[in-house]
RNA sequence: GCCAAUUUAGCUCAGGUGGUAGAGCAGCACCCUCGUAAUGUGCAGGUCGUUGGUUCGAAUCCAAUAAUUGGCUCCA
């Protein structure tokens, strides 16, 4: 008999060799139907694997992340079976679960697959799922495994095998499909009910662009049809919020093939929105002791040689701008820091000047790969809400903490209440991509870790995510439908001060090296506005929305009164417009609702007689008569509270 | 940059198998002067992304190129 310990601490005895599925069945049939895998001594196991020693046991269901991953991994095998059926001779690389679903990288040989094939594959998968084939695990010797895939002619699996040790190799078979796999898997295909193949992509074998491109098929599955439908609704919801669609509809920005791809053109409404955001941050920064600076859009090549950007990105960037002078070259600035450094160097600095906080909404240009461009979130020209803080080493932590406060204030003001902070450190193994000394890096990394700890922040650490000159603290916000976006960043930098030989005179009258902090709470205005648009579905808060009030006269007869009301609002710095078209009120209301303008003031005979307006709020309907003064106070209040 | 796909009027989209384009909305004009999500009538609007090829003839077939989309790689 063996002792099995459950998560609640209960210990029960079972005969040796019992499977977790049998244990579940003894507890209840309902449980046995629901569970997908078992966590045995912290390791995820097949339910059918016999337990031979004392162990802790936790049943994994769809509600557990690990249960979901197992489910999706098994779904990847199911998809592979369907693909092999449709494309005999297909060779399979790996098929892991991902955050939302799974994929499988496949070499289809001469065959090409397009989105239209996905529906057929889905049907086949459903058919195979209904057969309710068990996933059968089989331990196999390395030599037998190699022979199996040699016979199949699958060089990818042979490559995988070459990295595995004999005695640790297992095959899984369901129906007609057998795959090299560590497992674990769900008991059988019948558990997979809702199936959706979402997209096709090319993916390099082993992620290396010199290797062959495999076909990657993405999918997502669910244990019931209802959850699939909810997921499809989520996709629809995401589509509705897409900032590219809303940006067009709300006339915020556009692109022109002639201007160039990845170079956004801000339309008047978008520009007004963006300027208001800038004013908001500028005000907060002035209160926090930042000083504004303005620098040009280009800089000489030598500047970027000194900074290290040329060596790192020169070849993959916009190429130099030449001048009539032989050998003279300028680059579009990809970063504002070197320019700000030169401002620091413009005069001798004393410890009394520090921290020196230089801020600029600086537009930078980076030649992003064509396939990477995406709406406003990934562009080739964008404006960073940049600032560089030059401080003494002993000030770093305090300054860093102040920046954290500023970033969180910005998020809160814009309705991003949920965020995660990621500490991005060097790659633990490959140090070749970084500049600077080991000592400087250690100091910088420690400063971030300590500052976040002292702030009591929840952080996650990611290795290999640092910038090439220093570690970062990246902020990820969660939007209204649960998606994560990376926004602000704070970076500690001991390296650029050294490369530019920055100094300050200390209290001891000696020369010392300052430390730089790079920071951008929004990240970039473009990206931030994209995220904000998707977060609020284009219904911007009162303080930001381009048009706050639309005045809707019932007919032309009330136009004069409408104009008086409009003038009164404008006089109070309220952004108001009149719908002067001779349309019916229903039509005007509909158009204003669709334009997502928060306040509608309807004016007819009754309002003129009573010297009031009829208030209607976007998405809410008629809210009755109000005086213009009441409307003004209401809007001012909402603007003030950043509602 | 790579894989797959898309590109037709300002917007959203129709246009088997080749015979030089069509709808709805938006716009403009007229009618209406209207009470809380689309009044009606009419008009105008397109080198079918671009360039080349095949053909008597190309939105349609082929090639190149550009932009866009979903991924991969990248992201100072």
């Amino acid at each position: 008999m063996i002792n099995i310990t459950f998560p609640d601490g209960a210990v029960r005895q079972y005969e040796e060799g019992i499977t977790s599925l049998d244990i579940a069945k003894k507890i209840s049939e309902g449980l046995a139907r629901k569970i997908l895998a078992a966590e045995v001594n912290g390791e995820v196991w097949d339910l059918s694997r016999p337990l031979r020693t004392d162990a802790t046991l936790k049943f994994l269901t769809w509600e557990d992340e690990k249960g979901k991953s197992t489910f999706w991994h098994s779904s990847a095998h199911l998809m592979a079976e369907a693909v092999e059926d449709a494309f005999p001779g297909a060779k399979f690389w790996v098929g892991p679960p991902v955050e939302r679903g799974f994929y499988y990288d496949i070499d289809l040989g001469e065959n090409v697959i397009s989105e239209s094939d996905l529906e057929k594959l889905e049907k086949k998968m459903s058919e195979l799922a209904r057969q309710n084939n068990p996933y059968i695990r089989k331990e196999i010797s390395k030599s037998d495994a190699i022979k199996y895939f040699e016979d199949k002619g699958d060089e990818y699996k042979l490559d995988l095998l070459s990295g595995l040790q004999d005695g640790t190799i297992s095959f899984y078979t369901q129906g007609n499909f057998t795959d090299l796999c560590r497992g674990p898997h769900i008991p059988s295909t019948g558990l997979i009910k809702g199936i959706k193949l979402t997209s096709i992509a090319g993916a390099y074998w082993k992620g290396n662009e010199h290797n062959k491109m495999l076909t990657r098929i993405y999918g997502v599955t669910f244990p019931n049809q209802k959850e699939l439908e909810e997921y499809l609704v989520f996709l629809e919801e995401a589509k509705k919020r897409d900032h590219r669609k809303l940006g067009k509809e709300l006339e915020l920005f556009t692109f022109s093939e002639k201007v160039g791809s990845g170079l956004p053109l801000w339309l008047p409404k978008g520009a007004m929105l963006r300027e208001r955001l800038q004013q908001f941050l500028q005000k907060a920064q002035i209160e926090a002791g930042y000083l504004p600076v303005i620098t040009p859009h280009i800089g000489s090549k030598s500047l970027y040689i000194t900074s290290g950007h040329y060596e790192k990105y020169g070849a993959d960037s916009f190429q130099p701008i030449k001048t009539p002078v032989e050998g003279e070259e300028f680059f579009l600035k990809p970063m504002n820091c070197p320019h700000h450094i030169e401002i620091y160097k413009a005069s001798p600095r004393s410890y009394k000047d520090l921290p020196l906080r230089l801020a600029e909404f600086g537009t930078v240009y980076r030649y992003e790969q064509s396939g990477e461009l995406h709406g406003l979130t990934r562009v080739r020209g964008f404006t960073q809400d940049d600032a560089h803080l030059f401080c003494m080493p002993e000030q770093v932590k305090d300054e860093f903490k102040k920046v954290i406060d500023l970033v969180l204030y910005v998020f809160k003001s814009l309705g991003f209440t949920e965020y995660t902070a990621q500490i991005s450190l060097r790659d633990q193994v490959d140090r070749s991509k970084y500049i600077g000394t080991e000592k400087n890096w250690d100091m910088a990394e420690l400063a971030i870790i300590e500052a976040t700890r002292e702030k009591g922040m929840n952080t996650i650490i990611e290795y290999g995510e640092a910038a090439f000159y220093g570690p970062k603290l990246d902020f990820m916000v969660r939007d209204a439908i649960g998606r994560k976006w990376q926004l602000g960043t704070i970076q500690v930098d001991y390296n650029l001060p050294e490369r530019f030989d920055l100094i300050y005179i200390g209290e001891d009258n000696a020369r010392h090296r300052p430390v730089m902090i790079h920071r951008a709470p929004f990240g970039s205005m473009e990206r931030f506005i994209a995220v904000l648009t998707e977060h609020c579905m284009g219904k911007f808060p009162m303080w930001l929305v381009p048009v706050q009030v639309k005045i809707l006269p019932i007919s032309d007869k009330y136009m004069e009164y409408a104009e008086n009301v409009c003038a009164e609002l404008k006089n109070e710095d309220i952004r108001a417009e009149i719908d002067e078209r001779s349309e019916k009120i229903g039509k005007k209301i509909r158009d204003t609702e669709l334009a997502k303008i928060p306040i509608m003031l309807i004016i007819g005979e009754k309002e003129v007689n009573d010297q009031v307006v009829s208030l209607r709020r976007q998405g809410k309907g008629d809210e009755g008569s109000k005086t213009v003064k009441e409307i003004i106070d209401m809007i001012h209040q909402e603007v003030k509270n950043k509602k």
Side-chain angles (χ1 to χ4, degrees):
Chain A
M1 297 298 270
I2 53 172
N3 294 310
I4 298 297
T5 311
F6 294 90
D8 62 358
V11 180
R12 293 196 210 183
Q13 289 202 326
Y14 297 96
E15 52 198 84
E16 191 193 319
I18 191 168
T19 66
S20 342
L21 187 60
D22 286 335
I23 294 178
K25 277 184 184 156
K26 281 180 199 251
I27 294 169
S28 92
E29 280 293 331
L31 177 69
R33 271 198 302 275
K34 219 176 100 181
I35 58 176
L36 302 171
E39 195 169 335
V40 178
N41 295 328
E43 208 178 296
V44 185
W45 281 25
D46 293 324
L47 290 173
S48 58
R49 191 159 160 189
L51 297 158
R52 307 225 175 265
T53 57
D54 291 355
T56 63
L57 174 67
K58 179 180 183 232
F59 293 118
L60 297 176
T61 68
W62 178 251
E63 307 308 322
D64 302 287
E65 280 312 307
K66 286 174 182 170
K68 268 199 179 85
S69 322
T70 306
F71 188 84
W72 281 332
H73 182 199
S74 300
S75 302
H77 280 235
L78 182 67
M79 180 174 81
E81 186 179 358
V83 170
E84 193 166 56
D85 177 79
F87 301 95
K91 296 168 193 172
F92 297 89
W93 171 233
V94 289
V98 288
E99 199 183 338
R100 192 166 239 140
F102 58 88
Y103 67 80
Y104 216 123
D105 281 349
I106 306 163
D107 182 351
L108 293 169
E110 296 301 305
N111 295 308
V112 275
I113 183 169
S114 68
E115 312 264 338
S116 55
D117 296 313
L118 294 182
E119 213 167 306
K120 275 179 266 168
L121 285 174
E122 280 169 16
K123 279 214 181 88
K124 185 70 191 178
M125 282 174 75
S126 299
E127 189 188 315
L128 294 168
R130 273 195 302 274
Q131 291 174 7
N132 200 16
N133 298 315
Y135 286 87
I136 300 159
R137 180 188 174 91
K138 187 179 159 201
E139 308 279 342
I140 188 163
S141 73
K142 187 164 178 172
S143 55
D144 286 351
I146 289 174
K147 185 166 183 317
Y148 177 84
F149 284 111
E150 272 177 356
D151 290 347
K152 207 177 165 188
D154 189 331
E155 64 267 29
Y156 301 101
K157 291 297 175 189
L158 288 170
D159 184 88
L160 271 185
L161 275 168
S162 69
L164 298 179
Q165 290 196 346
D166 207 354
T168 64
I169 295 168
S170 55
F171 276 12
Y172 275 85
T173 302
Q174 94 276 3
N176 292 319
F177 182 75
T178 296
D179 201 0
L180 169 70
C181 183
R182 185 188 320 134
H185 281 285
I186 59 174
S188 66
T189 60
L191 291 159
I192 302 170
K193 296 266 167 53
I195 298 170
K196 178 77 190 163
L197 298 185
T198 46
S199 68
I200 297 175
Y204 300 114
W205 183 42
K206 297 186 178 178
N208 183 328
E209 59 181 323
H210 301 296
N211 285 343
K212 181 163 180 174
M213 173 81 58
L214 305 177
T215 302
R216 175 172 296 181
I217 307 177
Y218 280 91
V220 61
T221 51
F222 300 90
N224 56 60
Q225 204 62 32
K226 190 171 145 264
E227 289 213 39
L228 170 63
E229 274 153 30
E230 281 168 9
Y231 174 70
L232 295 177
V233 167
F234 168 82
L235 289 184
E236 283 302 309
E237 182 66 26
K239 229 185 207 167
K240 264 193 260 169
R241 290 168 178 268
D242 192 319
H243 76 277
R244 293 167 301 185
K245 175 178 173 285
L246 289 169
K248 197 182 272 179
E249 286 172 6
L250 301 177
E251 299 170 1
L252 301 179
F253 60 89
T254 187
F255 288 91
S256 148
E257 212 171 298
K258 275 216 175 92
V259 171
S261 90
L263 300 169
L265 303 172
W266 288 86
L267 303 174
K269 288 193 172 122
M272 286 193 280
L273 172 66
R274 173 173 153 169
E275 271 171 7
R276 221 156 275 121
L277 269 174
Q278 289 195 3
Q279 285 158 10
F280 155 73
L281 181 57
Q282 215 149 30
K283 184 161 171 269
Q285 287 182 166
I286 285 167
E287 280 164 18
Y290 289 71
L291 303 170
V293 294
I294 296 172
T295 65
H297 286 227
I298 63 174
S300 80
K301 182 174 171 180
S302 66
L303 185 65
Y304 301 107
I305 290 175
T306 306
S307 71
H309 290 105
Y310 179 76
E311 191 194 340
K312 190 82 185 164
Y313 296 103
D316 306 320
S317 201
F318 281 111
Q319 290 307 291
I321 302 162
K322 305 234 195 262
T323 72
V325 175
E326 177 74 27
E328 191 174 50
E329 287 182 345
F330 290 88
F331 275 85
L332 279 167
K333 72 175 170 189
M335 287 289 287
N336 300 301
C337 27
H339 287 74
H340 290 185
I341 286 173
E342 291 304 308
I343 290 176
Y344 179 90
K345 291 184 81 169
S347 41
R349 303 291 177 182
S350 136
Y351 72 96
K352 291 179 189 164
D353 300 328
L354 304 183
L356 181 68
R357 310 179 185 93
L358 303 180
E360 174 179 20
F361 289 90
T363 305
V364 297
Y365 299 89
R366 299 176 183 178
Y367 192 79
E368 305 293 354
Q369 296 185 52
S370 58
E372 257 321 311
L373 300 172
H374 180 95
L376 284 184
T377 60
R378 196 76 190 274
V379 287
R380 286 178 173 163
F382 58 97
T383 302
Q384 295 177 314
D385 54 327
D386 212 356
H388 295 94
L389 286 57
F390 299 86
C391 58
M392 296 190 272
E394 55 270 36
Q395 293 171 323
V396 170
K397 210 194 292 172
D398 265 1
E399 278 304 302
F400 201 94
K401 288 199 279 190
K402 281 188 210 163
V403 177
I404 291 174
D405 290 338
L406 181 67
V407 171
L408 297 184
Y409 166 70
V410 167
F411 287 178
K412 202 176 131 238
S413 301
L414 285 144
F416 293 108
T417 47
E418 269 189 77
Y419 69 91
T420 43
Q422 173 183 308
I423 301 176
S424 301
L425 305 179
R426 274 170 300 177
D427 193 304
Q428 287 179 298
V429 188
D430 178 13
R431 298 261 154 122
S432 64
K433 38 186 180 176
Y434 308 105
I435 60 168
T437 63
E438 196 79 6
K439 182 171 152 262
N440 283 346
W441 273 91
D442 288 343
M443 280 198 291
E445 292 184 349
L446 192 66
I448 294 182
I449 291 165
E450 284 186 355
T452 52
R453 191 188 300 145
E454 286 172 25
K455 276 269 147 208
M457 294 171 78
N458 277 327
T459 53
I460 48 165
I461 292 185
E462 285 291 336
Y463 293 94
E465 294 290 312
F468 75 97
Y469 53 74
K472 309 188 281 185
L473 181 66
D474 292 322
F475 290 85
M476 258 81 75
V477 296
R478 194 176 274 275
D479 76 8
I481 55 169
R483 297 170 300 175
K484 279 187 186 172
W485 301 84
Q486 196 199 313
L487 290 176
T489 179
I490 318 176
Q491 310 175 3
V492 181
D493 182 1
Y494 286 79
N495 292 312
L496 286 180
E498 221 159 273
R499 294 180 80 94
F500 281 90
D501 193 25
L502 300 187
I503 55 155
Y504 66 90
I505 307 299
E507 216 171 345
D508 55 1
N509 202 30
R511 295 153 68 89
H512 298 275
R513 182 81 71 215
V515 184
M516 273 175 83
I517 296 172
H518 311 239
R519 43 105 284 176
F522 291 142
S524 90
M525 301 310 294
E526 285 74 7
R527 185 178 169 80
F528 189 83
I529 289 171
V531 174
L532 181 64
T533 303
E534 305 217 356
H535 179 59
C536 67
M537 215 196 305
K539 294 174 189 168
F540 295 106
M542 190 63 83
W543 65 288
L544 287 174
V545 70
V547 179
Q548 294 167 316
V549 178
K550 195 92 176 186
I551 299 166
L552 311 179
I554 301 277
S555 86
D556 300 352
K557 287 193 284 189
Y558 316 110
M559 199 59 80
E560 195 185 326
Y561 181 63
E563 276 162 11
N564 291 341
V565 170
C566 189
E568 220 175 318
L569 293 174
K570 281 183 171 165
N571 200 34
E572 291 285 333
D573 289 327
I574 289 167
R575 302 182 287 277
E577 288 178 356
I578 304 172
D579 189 339
E580 294 178 324
R581 300 172 304 168
S582 51
E583 293 287 353
K584 273 176 73 176
I585 194 66
K587 168 75 166 165
K588 292 184 181 182
I589 287 170
R590 181 181 153 80
D591 289 346
T592 313
E593 287 277 350
L594 293 175
K596 302 189 200 305
I597 292 169
I599 304 281
M600 280 164 263
L601 300 181
I602 291 155
I603 287 173
E605 190 178 352
K606 190 161 75 75
E607 285 73 19
V608 174
N609 288 340
D610 299 350
Q611 290 292 295
V612 292
V613 292
S614 174
L615 170 67
R616 182 189 166 104
R617 304 201 67 141
Q618 206 266 347
K620 297 222 178 77
D622 193 355
E623 299 200 351
S625 289
K626 301 271 187 261
T627 64
V628 176
K629 169 114 184 21
E630 282 173 316
I631 298 291
I632 290 169
D633 289 345
M634 180 186 84
I635 293 171
H636 281 335
Q637 200 56 36
E638 287 183 25
V639 167
K640 196 174 151 214
N641 296 335
K642 300 232 163 9
K643 280 268 170 70

